[in-house]
mmCIF file of all heavy atoms in Angstrom:
data_model
loop_
_atom_site.group_PDB
_atom_site.id
_atom_site.type_symbol
_atom_site.label_atom_id
_atom_site.label_comp_id
_atom_site.label_asym_id
_atom_site.label_seq_id
_atom_site.Cartn_x
_atom_site.Cartn_y
_atom_site.Cartn_z
ATOM 1 N N MET A 113 -17.906 12.499 -4.741
ATOM 2 C CA MET A 113 -16.611 12.785 -4.163
ATOM 3 C C MET A 113 -16.167 11.808 -3.076
ATOM 4 O O MET A 113 -15.031 11.394 -2.989
ATOM 5 C CB MET A 113 -16.463 14.259 -3.759
ATOM 6 C CG MET A 113 -15.017 14.697 -3.360
ATOM 7 S SD MET A 113 -14.931 16.449 -2.984
ATOM 8 C CE MET A 113 -15.065 17.129 -4.562
ATOM 9 N N THR A 114 -17.161 11.556 -2.175
ATOM 10 C CA THR A 114 -16.831 10.605 -1.128
ATOM 11 C C THR A 114 -16.462 9.204 -1.704
ATOM 12 O O THR A 114 -15.513 8.650 -1.194
ATOM 13 C CB THR A 114 -18.036 10.407 -0.222
ATOM 14 O OG1 THR A 114 -18.407 11.694 0.360
ATOM 15 C CG2 THR A 114 -17.836 9.466 0.991
ATOM 16 N N ALA A 115 -17.202 8.735 -2.621
ATOM 17 C CA ALA A 115 -17.012 7.427 -3.240
ATOM 18 C C ALA A 115 -15.577 7.509 -3.977
ATOM 19 O O ALA A 115 -14.802 6.504 -3.837
ATOM 20 C CB ALA A 115 -18.060 7.097 -4.209
ATOM 21 N N ALA A 116 -15.268 8.553 -4.640
ATOM 22 C CA ALA A 116 -14.071 8.640 -5.389
ATOM 23 C C ALA A 116 -12.871 8.709 -4.431
ATOM 24 O O ALA A 116 -11.819 8.080 -4.706
ATOM 25 C CB ALA A 116 -14.021 9.867 -6.225
ATOM 26 N N LEU A 117 -12.944 9.465 -3.296
ATOM 27 C CA LEU A 117 -11.876 9.492 -2.350
ATOM 28 C C LEU A 117 -11.690 8.122 -1.714
ATOM 29 O O LEU A 117 -10.579 7.709 -1.395
ATOM 30 C CB LEU A 117 -12.181 10.575 -1.322
ATOM 31 C CG LEU A 117 -11.889 12.011 -1.786
ATOM 32 C CD1 LEU A 117 -12.427 13.010 -0.774
ATOM 33 C CD2 LEU A 117 -10.419 12.224 -2.086
ATOM 34 N N THR A 118 -12.799 7.396 -1.443
ATOM 35 C CA THR A 118 -12.654 6.086 -0.849
ATOM 36 C C THR A 118 -11.931 5.127 -1.719
ATOM 37 O O THR A 118 -11.043 4.384 -1.315
ATOM 38 C CB THR A 118 -14.084 5.517 -0.570
ATOM 39 O OG1 THR A 118 -14.812 6.408 0.301
ATOM 40 C CG2 THR A 118 -14.013 4.096 0.030
ATOM 41 N N ALA A 119 -12.278 5.162 -3.016
ATOM 42 C CA ALA A 119 -11.541 4.325 -4.038
ATOM 43 C C ALA A 119 -10.123 4.799 -4.153
ATOM 44 O O ALA A 119 -9.202 3.923 -4.353
ATOM 45 C CB ALA A 119 -12.260 4.414 -5.359
ATOM 46 N N ALA A 120 -9.861 6.019 -4.097
ATOM 47 C CA ALA A 120 -8.495 6.529 -4.260
ATOM 48 C C ALA A 120 -7.666 6.056 -3.049
ATOM 49 O O ALA A 120 -6.473 5.625 -3.275
ATOM 50 C CB ALA A 120 -8.443 8.023 -4.267
ATOM 51 N N PHE A 121 -8.179 6.018 -1.815
ATOM 52 C CA PHE A 121 -7.437 5.514 -0.748
ATOM 53 C C PHE A 121 -7.051 4.030 -0.976
ATOM 54 O O PHE A 121 -5.972 3.636 -0.726
ATOM 55 C CB PHE A 121 -8.273 5.589 0.621
ATOM 56 C CG PHE A 121 -8.060 6.795 1.274
ATOM 57 C CD1 PHE A 121 -9.256 7.609 1.617
ATOM 58 C CD2 PHE A 121 -6.902 7.288 1.697
ATOM 59 C CE1 PHE A 121 -9.069 8.787 2.306
ATOM 60 C CE2 PHE A 121 -6.686 8.535 2.413
ATOM 61 C CZ PHE A 121 -7.778 9.326 2.711
ATOM 62 N N ALA A 122 -7.998 3.237 -1.533
ATOM 63 C CA ALA A 122 -7.767 1.783 -1.679
ATOM 64 C C ALA A 122 -6.678 1.578 -2.711
ATOM 65 O O ALA A 122 -5.718 0.834 -2.438
ATOM 66 C CB ALA A 122 -9.068 1.097 -2.046
ATOM 67 N N ILE A 123 -6.804 2.233 -3.881
ATOM 68 C CA ILE A 123 -5.749 1.966 -4.938
ATOM 69 C C ILE A 123 -4.489 2.503 -4.567
ATOM 70 O O ILE A 123 -3.428 1.956 -4.935
ATOM 71 C CB ILE A 123 -6.307 2.502 -6.315
ATOM 72 C CG1 ILE A 123 -5.370 1.953 -7.421
ATOM 73 C CG2 ILE A 123 -6.358 4.096 -6.318
ATOM 74 C CD1 ILE A 123 -5.428 0.509 -7.574
ATOM 75 N N ASN A 124 -4.367 3.614 -3.805
ATOM 76 C CA ASN A 124 -3.075 4.181 -3.444
ATOM 77 C C ASN A 124 -2.442 3.289 -2.396
ATOM 78 O O ASN A 124 -1.213 3.219 -2.419
ATOM 79 C CB ASN A 124 -3.327 5.543 -2.877
ATOM 80 C CG ASN A 124 -3.542 6.691 -4.033
ATOM 81 O OD1 ASN A 124 -3.170 6.458 -5.064
ATOM 82 N ND2 ASN A 124 -4.311 7.750 -3.651
ATOM 83 N N ILE A 125 -3.219 2.729 -1.478
ATOM 84 C CA ILE A 125 -2.670 1.727 -0.555
ATOM 85 C C ILE A 125 -1.937 0.574 -1.386
ATOM 86 O O ILE A 125 -0.851 0.180 -1.196
ATOM 87 C CB ILE A 125 -3.632 1.218 0.480
ATOM 88 C CG1 ILE A 125 -4.007 2.304 1.394
ATOM 89 C CG2 ILE A 125 -3.113 -0.037 1.180
ATOM 90 C CD1 ILE A 125 -5.198 1.982 2.239
ATOM 91 N N ILE A 126 -2.668 -0.013 -2.299
ATOM 92 C CA ILE A 126 -2.237 -1.082 -3.152
ATOM 93 C C ILE A 126 -0.938 -0.729 -3.910
ATOM 94 O O ILE A 126 0.091 -1.425 -3.794
ATOM 95 C CB ILE A 126 -3.276 -1.625 -4.099
ATOM 96 C CG1 ILE A 126 -4.475 -2.317 -3.365
ATOM 97 C CG2 ILE A 126 -2.687 -2.662 -5.056
ATOM 98 C CD1 ILE A 126 -5.676 -2.592 -4.182
ATOM 99 N N GLU A 127 -1.066 0.438 -4.526
ATOM 100 C CA GLU A 127 0.094 0.864 -5.432
ATOM 101 C C GLU A 127 1.349 1.160 -4.539
ATOM 102 O O GLU A 127 2.484 0.850 -4.910
ATOM 103 C CB GLU A 127 -0.285 2.057 -6.225
ATOM 104 C CG GLU A 127 0.691 2.389 -7.318
ATOM 105 C CD GLU A 127 0.152 3.378 -8.325
ATOM 106 O OE1 GLU A 127 -0.876 4.108 -8.016
ATOM 107 O OE2 GLU A 127 0.807 3.579 -9.364
ATOM 108 N N THR A 128 1.149 1.804 -3.414
ATOM 109 C CA THR A 128 2.258 2.139 -2.533
ATOM 110 C C THR A 128 2.889 0.985 -1.968
ATOM 111 O O THR A 128 4.180 0.884 -1.775
ATOM 112 C CB THR A 128 1.707 3.197 -1.360
ATOM 113 O OG1 THR A 128 1.164 4.311 -1.999
ATOM 114 C CG2 THR A 128 2.883 3.573 -0.518
ATOM 115 N N VAL A 129 2.092 0.028 -1.574
ATOM 116 C CA VAL A 129 2.576 -1.258 -0.984
ATOM 117 C C VAL A 129 3.359 -2.029 -2.000
ATOM 118 O O VAL A 129 4.493 -2.494 -1.756
ATOM 119 C CB VAL A 129 1.430 -2.042 -0.427
ATOM 120 C CG1 VAL A 129 1.855 -3.518 -0.099
ATOM 121 C CG2 VAL A 129 0.816 -1.513 0.794
ATOM 122 N N VAL A 130 2.826 -2.074 -3.235
ATOM 123 C CA VAL A 130 3.525 -2.926 -4.247
ATOM 124 C C VAL A 130 4.839 -2.216 -4.699
ATOM 125 O O VAL A 130 5.937 -2.890 -4.761
ATOM 126 C CB VAL A 130 2.668 -3.122 -5.447
ATOM 127 C CG1 VAL A 130 3.481 -3.775 -6.686
ATOM 128 C CG2 VAL A 130 1.422 -3.920 -5.132
ATOM 129 N N LEU A 131 4.822 -0.926 -4.785
ATOM 130 C CA LEU A 131 6.096 -0.223 -5.119
ATOM 131 C C LEU A 131 7.137 -0.341 -4.018
ATOM 132 O O LEU A 131 8.282 -0.547 -4.326
ATOM 133 C CB LEU A 131 5.813 1.267 -5.373
ATOM 134 C CG LEU A 131 5.075 1.572 -6.612
ATOM 135 C CD1 LEU A 131 4.631 3.097 -6.706
ATOM 136 C CD2 LEU A 131 5.893 1.173 -7.829
ATOM 137 N N ALA A 132 6.735 -0.334 -2.746
ATOM 138 C CA ALA A 132 7.567 -0.521 -1.619
ATOM 139 C C ALA A 132 8.179 -1.921 -1.650
ATOM 140 O O ALA A 132 9.339 -2.168 -1.408
ATOM 141 C CB ALA A 132 6.912 -0.272 -0.242
ATOM 142 N N TRP A 133 7.228 -2.860 -2.000
ATOM 143 C CA TRP A 133 7.732 -4.283 -2.085
ATOM 144 C C TRP A 133 8.764 -4.516 -3.246
ATOM 145 O O TRP A 133 9.744 -5.154 -3.039
ATOM 146 C CB TRP A 133 6.568 -5.175 -2.301
ATOM 147 C CG TRP A 133 6.876 -6.612 -2.551
ATOM 148 C CD1 TRP A 133 7.150 -7.494 -1.561
ATOM 149 C CD2 TRP A 133 6.915 -7.238 -3.784
ATOM 150 N NE1 TRP A 133 7.418 -8.754 -2.152
ATOM 151 C CE2 TRP A 133 7.327 -8.630 -3.486
ATOM 152 C CE3 TRP A 133 6.888 -6.826 -5.109
ATOM 153 C CZ2 TRP A 133 7.538 -9.528 -4.445
ATOM 154 C CZ3 TRP A 133 7.133 -7.772 -6.119
ATOM 155 C CH2 TRP A 133 7.482 -9.057 -5.822
ATOM 156 N N VAL A 134 8.576 -3.784 -4.423
ATOM 157 C CA VAL A 134 9.502 -3.817 -5.495
ATOM 158 C C VAL A 134 10.745 -3.186 -5.085
ATOM 159 O O VAL A 134 11.864 -3.774 -5.353
ATOM 160 C CB VAL A 134 8.866 -3.105 -6.717
ATOM 161 C CG1 VAL A 134 9.965 -2.983 -7.801
ATOM 162 C CG2 VAL A 134 7.647 -3.881 -7.298
ATOM 163 N N GLU A 135 10.745 -2.125 -4.346
ATOM 164 C CA GLU A 135 12.041 -1.451 -3.913
ATOM 165 C C GLU A 135 12.791 -2.337 -2.991
ATOM 166 O O GLU A 135 14.031 -2.247 -2.928
ATOM 167 C CB GLU A 135 11.671 -0.104 -3.298
ATOM 168 C CG GLU A 135 11.134 0.909 -4.263
ATOM 169 C CD GLU A 135 10.750 2.278 -3.600
ATOM 170 O OE1 GLU A 135 10.826 2.317 -2.271
ATOM 171 O OE2 GLU A 135 10.345 3.140 -4.283
ATOM 172 N N SER A 136 12.087 -3.207 -2.298
ATOM 173 C CA SER A 136 12.849 -4.093 -1.264
ATOM 174 C C SER A 136 13.327 -5.412 -2.041
ATOM 175 O O SER A 136 13.902 -6.210 -1.375
ATOM 176 C CB SER A 136 11.750 -4.561 -0.208
ATOM 177 O OG SER A 136 10.953 -5.471 -0.592
ATOM 178 N N ARG A 137 13.135 -5.385 -3.330
ATOM 179 C CA ARG A 137 13.543 -6.592 -4.155
ATOM 180 C C ARG A 137 12.790 -7.860 -3.701
ATOM 181 O O ARG A 137 13.282 -8.884 -3.750
ATOM 182 C CB ARG A 137 15.056 -6.842 -4.082
ATOM 183 C CG ARG A 137 15.880 -5.624 -4.461
ATOM 184 C CD ARG A 137 15.561 -5.080 -5.914
ATOM 185 N NE ARG A 137 15.755 -6.112 -6.984
ATOM 186 C CZ ARG A 137 15.200 -6.059 -8.146
ATOM 187 N NH1 ARG A 137 14.524 -4.894 -8.560
ATOM 188 N NH2 ARG A 137 15.452 -6.983 -9.035
ATOM 189 N N GLY A 138 11.524 -7.628 -3.258
ATOM 190 C CA GLY A 138 10.675 -8.751 -2.872
ATOM 191 C C GLY A 138 10.980 -9.332 -1.446
ATOM 192 O O GLY A 138 10.380 -10.356 -1.071
ATOM 193 N N GLN A 139 11.849 -8.629 -0.714
ATOM 194 C CA GLN A 139 12.224 -9.088 0.584
ATOM 195 C C GLN A 139 11.098 -8.727 1.669
ATOM 196 O O GLN A 139 10.894 -9.471 2.612
ATOM 197 C CB GLN A 139 13.508 -8.469 1.031
ATOM 198 C CG GLN A 139 14.689 -8.927 0.198
ATOM 199 C CD GLN A 139 14.920 -10.407 0.172
ATOM 200 O OE1 GLN A 139 14.965 -11.081 1.192
ATOM 201 N NE2 GLN A 139 14.927 -10.974 -1.074
ATOM 202 N N ALA A 140 10.406 -7.618 1.466
ATOM 203 C CA ALA A 140 9.403 -7.185 2.380
ATOM 204 C C ALA A 140 8.109 -8.072 2.193
ATOM 205 O O ALA A 140 7.965 -8.595 1.117
ATOM 206 C CB ALA A 140 9.023 -5.733 2.218
ATOM 207 N N ASP A 141 7.217 -8.062 3.272
ATOM 208 C CA ASP A 141 5.970 -8.802 3.160
ATOM 209 C C ASP A 141 4.876 -7.833 2.717
ATOM 210 O O ASP A 141 4.700 -6.810 3.455
ATOM 211 C CB ASP A 141 5.677 -9.490 4.531
ATOM 212 C CG ASP A 141 4.344 -10.170 4.478
ATOM 213 O OD1 ASP A 141 4.279 -11.303 3.795
ATOM 214 O OD2 ASP A 141 3.377 -9.655 5.031
ATOM 215 N N MET A 142 4.126 -8.141 1.696
ATOM 216 C CA MET A 142 3.087 -7.207 1.227
ATOM 217 C C MET A 142 2.119 -6.918 2.286
ATOM 218 O O MET A 142 1.632 -5.766 2.399
ATOM 219 C CB MET A 142 2.507 -7.792 -0.035
ATOM 220 C CG MET A 142 3.287 -7.689 -1.367
ATOM 221 S SD MET A 142 2.319 -8.060 -2.767
ATOM 222 C CE MET A 142 3.557 -8.163 -3.982
ATOM 223 N N HIS A 143 1.600 -7.949 3.024
ATOM 224 C CA HIS A 143 0.596 -7.731 3.946
ATOM 225 C C HIS A 143 1.141 -6.908 5.177
ATOM 226 O O HIS A 143 0.351 -6.160 5.720
ATOM 227 C CB HIS A 143 0.079 -9.133 4.494
ATOM 228 C CG HIS A 143 -0.679 -9.847 3.322
ATOM 229 N ND1 HIS A 143 -1.944 -9.529 2.922
ATOM 230 C CD2 HIS A 143 -0.292 -10.880 2.542
ATOM 231 C CE1 HIS A 143 -2.387 -10.312 1.973
ATOM 232 N NE2 HIS A 143 -1.350 -11.175 1.745
ATOM 233 N N THR A 144 2.270 -7.108 5.500
ATOM 234 C CA THR A 144 2.807 -6.281 6.587
ATOM 235 C C THR A 144 2.954 -4.814 6.198
ATOM 236 O O THR A 144 2.629 -3.914 6.930
ATOM 237 C CB THR A 144 4.232 -6.764 6.989
ATOM 238 O OG1 THR A 144 4.190 -8.108 7.414
ATOM 239 C CG2 THR A 144 4.864 -5.962 8.145
ATOM 240 N N LEU A 145 3.371 -4.539 4.990
ATOM 241 C CA LEU A 145 3.469 -3.241 4.417
ATOM 242 C C LEU A 145 1.968 -2.604 4.394
ATOM 243 O O LEU A 145 1.861 -1.431 4.687
ATOM 244 C CB LEU A 145 4.031 -3.246 3.020
ATOM 245 C CG LEU A 145 5.460 -3.557 2.868
ATOM 246 C CD1 LEU A 145 5.908 -3.796 1.455
ATOM 247 C CD2 LEU A 145 6.347 -2.447 3.568
ATOM 248 N N ALA A 146 1.040 -3.398 3.951
ATOM 249 C CA ALA A 146 -0.370 -2.888 3.907
ATOM 250 C C ALA A 146 -0.907 -2.599 5.226
ATOM 251 O O ALA A 146 -1.529 -1.482 5.434
ATOM 252 C CB ALA A 146 -1.203 -3.967 3.214
ATOM 253 N N ASN A 147 -0.602 -3.374 6.140
ATOM 254 C CA ASN A 147 -1.116 -3.102 7.598
ATOM 255 C C ASN A 147 -0.406 -1.777 8.091
ATOM 256 O O ASN A 147 -1.145 -1.002 8.831
ATOM 257 C CB ASN A 147 -0.765 -4.268 8.482
ATOM 258 C CG ASN A 147 -1.610 -5.428 8.279
ATOM 259 O OD1 ASN A 147 -2.771 -5.289 7.721
ATOM 260 N ND2 ASN A 147 -1.128 -6.600 8.619
ATOM 261 N N HIS A 148 0.873 -1.599 7.746
ATOM 262 C CA HIS A 148 1.560 -0.390 8.241
ATOM 263 C C HIS A 148 0.866 0.805 7.597
ATOM 264 O O HIS A 148 0.670 1.811 8.216
ATOM 265 C CB HIS A 148 3.019 -0.533 7.911
ATOM 266 C CG HIS A 148 3.828 0.718 8.263
ATOM 267 N ND1 HIS A 148 3.822 1.145 9.587
ATOM 268 C CD2 HIS A 148 4.540 1.599 7.521
ATOM 269 C CE1 HIS A 148 4.617 2.230 9.586
ATOM 270 N NE2 HIS A 148 5.037 2.505 8.347
ATOM 271 N N ALA A 149 0.624 0.723 6.245
ATOM 272 C CA ALA A 149 0.070 1.853 5.508
ATOM 273 C C ALA A 149 -1.301 2.213 6.151
ATOM 274 O O ALA A 149 -1.588 3.372 6.305
ATOM 275 C CB ALA A 149 -0.072 1.490 4.036
ATOM 276 N N MET A 150 -2.126 1.257 6.340
ATOM 277 C CA MET A 150 -3.472 1.520 6.932
ATOM 278 C C MET A 150 -3.426 1.984 8.288
ATOM 279 O O MET A 150 -4.198 2.826 8.734
ATOM 280 C CB MET A 150 -4.381 0.245 6.769
ATOM 281 C CG MET A 150 -4.809 -0.023 5.317
ATOM 282 S SD MET A 150 -5.931 -1.415 5.105
ATOM 283 C CE MET A 150 -4.784 -2.731 5.029
ATOM 284 N N THR A 151 -2.460 1.540 9.111
ATOM 285 C CA THR A 151 -2.297 2.080 10.378
ATOM 286 C C THR A 151 -1.951 3.596 10.392
ATOM 287 O O THR A 151 -2.466 4.400 11.201
ATOM 288 C CB THR A 151 -1.218 1.347 11.231
ATOM 289 O OG1 THR A 151 -1.613 -0.042 11.288
ATOM 290 C CG2 THR A 151 -0.943 1.942 12.634
ATOM 291 N N LEU A 152 -1.062 3.937 9.437
ATOM 292 C CA LEU A 152 -0.707 5.390 9.294
ATOM 293 C C LEU A 152 -1.922 6.170 9.007
ATOM 294 O O LEU A 152 -2.087 7.357 9.502
ATOM 295 C CB LEU A 152 0.342 5.546 8.209
ATOM 296 C CG LEU A 152 1.785 4.906 8.508
ATOM 297 C CD1 LEU A 152 2.629 5.079 7.249
ATOM 298 C CD2 LEU A 152 2.447 5.743 9.584
ATOM 299 N N LEU A 153 -2.782 5.698 8.122
ATOM 300 C CA LEU A 153 -3.969 6.438 7.751
ATOM 301 C C LEU A 153 -4.986 6.545 8.895
ATOM 302 O O LEU A 153 -5.495 7.587 9.221
ATOM 303 C CB LEU A 153 -4.610 5.742 6.524
ATOM 304 C CG LEU A 153 -4.037 5.880 5.184
ATOM 305 C CD1 LEU A 153 -4.620 4.945 4.156
ATOM 306 C CD2 LEU A 153 -4.113 7.336 4.731
#
């Protein structure tokens, strides 16, 4: 369960960041979005 939750955090960060980038029509920076997501966590 620990390993599964760790992997879930990683893929959810990637998917959330990419979807936010798509919603911005490519205007947002992926790495900035990722840093923000990880800071929230």
Side-chain angles (χ1 to χ4, degrees):
M113 185 173 289
T114 299
L117 285 171
T118 301
F121 271 127
I123 192 60
N124 284 335
I125 288 171
I126 292 170
E127 192 170 16
T128 301
V129 165
V130 174
L131 288 174
W133 176 84
V134 170
E135 289 175 0
S136 77
R137 306 303 302 167
Q139 297 302 306
D141 178 73
M142 287 191 189
H143 293 284
T144 301
L145 291 170
N147 288 334
H148 179 59
M150 286 185 277
T151 298
L152 291 173
L153 286 170

